[in-house]
Amino acid sequence: MAFNRAKFSRSSSTSSSGSLLSKLPLWVLRFLQFVFAVTVIGLYAQDLRRADKENKYSDSKWGYAVAVGTIGAVSSLLLAWPRLSMWGWGWDLVVFILFTALFGLFARMYIHEKPEGNGGVGRMKNAVWIDLINMLLWFVTAIYGMVTFFFFRGRKSLHTGRATV
């Protein structure tokens, strides 16, 4: 039995399917999704809290925004695991659609609005752009997940070619 040095010369961090470097872009995207989703929660929850404090009606649009932000934050944490991310591209599309609806809803209300000294309107205009960033981040991860799922599943292992990766 001969010792094959070529088999052991390659570091585990440079293999094609399981390297940490190949997962790094996905982790960065998931981290950004989490940060921007928490930002959405903070921007929209301020108005809900103010309305609750003053015993006023809180609009369901702001409740939807906080719910979508929460779904995005929890999903980004769960889908950061590589095993879930390969199969989670469908959920990425769902969250993308939720953020698209959120962006459309508030963009129609605030994009053409002039703040004129009103800090709340200026904050909501900024929130609309954060919604757009979230929408684009979820779109990118959905496309990344689809490409990974359809082009890289069912490949054979690097060393022996027998195991399905």
Side-chain angles (χ1 to χ4, degrees):
M1 185 160 135
F3 177 73
N4 188 353
R5 185 171 277 217
K7 243 185 189 179
F8 298 103
S9 66
R10 186 177 253 183
S11 170
S12 65
S13 66
T14 60
S15 67
S16 64
S17 64
S19 75
L20 289 176
L21 289 177
S22 69
K23 306 280 188 268
L24 188 62
L26 181 65
W27 287 339
V28 168
L29 286 172
R30 295 295 183 195
F31 175 73
L32 290 173
Q33 286 173 338
F34 177 76
V35 168
F36 284 112
V38 170
T39 304
V40 164
I41 294 169
L43 287 170
Y44 289 99
Q46 290 178 19
D47 290 333
L48 288 176
R49 185 170 180 265
R50 187 177 303 117
D52 187 45
K53 198 184 245 186
E54 296 172 1
N55 291 327
K56 290 185 178 178
Y57 171 73
S58 56
D59 198 351
S60 62
K61 295 172 189 171
W62 276 258
Y64 174 75
V66 171
V68 170
T70 304
I71 289 169
V74 171
S75 297
S76 66
L77 291 176
L78 291 176
L79 292 174
W81 291 339
R83 296 260 182 219
L84 291 177
S85 66
M86 183 174 166
W87 298 94
W89 60 269
W91 185 249
D92 282 339
L93 282 177
V94 169
V95 179
F96 162 70
I97 291 168
L98 292 173
F99 272 109
T100 302
L102 181 64
F103 172 71
L105 178 69
F106 283 95
R108 187 172 41 110
M109 291 170 51
Y110 287 104
I111 288 293
H112 300 295
E113 197 72 28
K114 298 206 185 304
E116 298 174 0
N118 187 350
V121 173
R123 181 175 42 82
M124 293 310 295
K125 285 179 76 97
N126 293 334
V128 168
W129 298 115
I130 298 295
D131 296 339
L132 177 67
I133 292 169
N134 267 312
M135 181 186 79
L136 294 174
L137 284 171
W138 283 100
F139 180 72
V140 168
T141 55
I143 297 301
Y144 177 81
M146 278 192 268
V147 167
T148 303
F149 182 78
F150 288 113
F151 291 117
F152 297 117
R153 71 181 172 131
R155 291 211 170 170
K156 300 297 179 180
S157 67
L158 180 67
H159 295 293
T160 63
R162 293 183 297 215
T164 304
V165 178

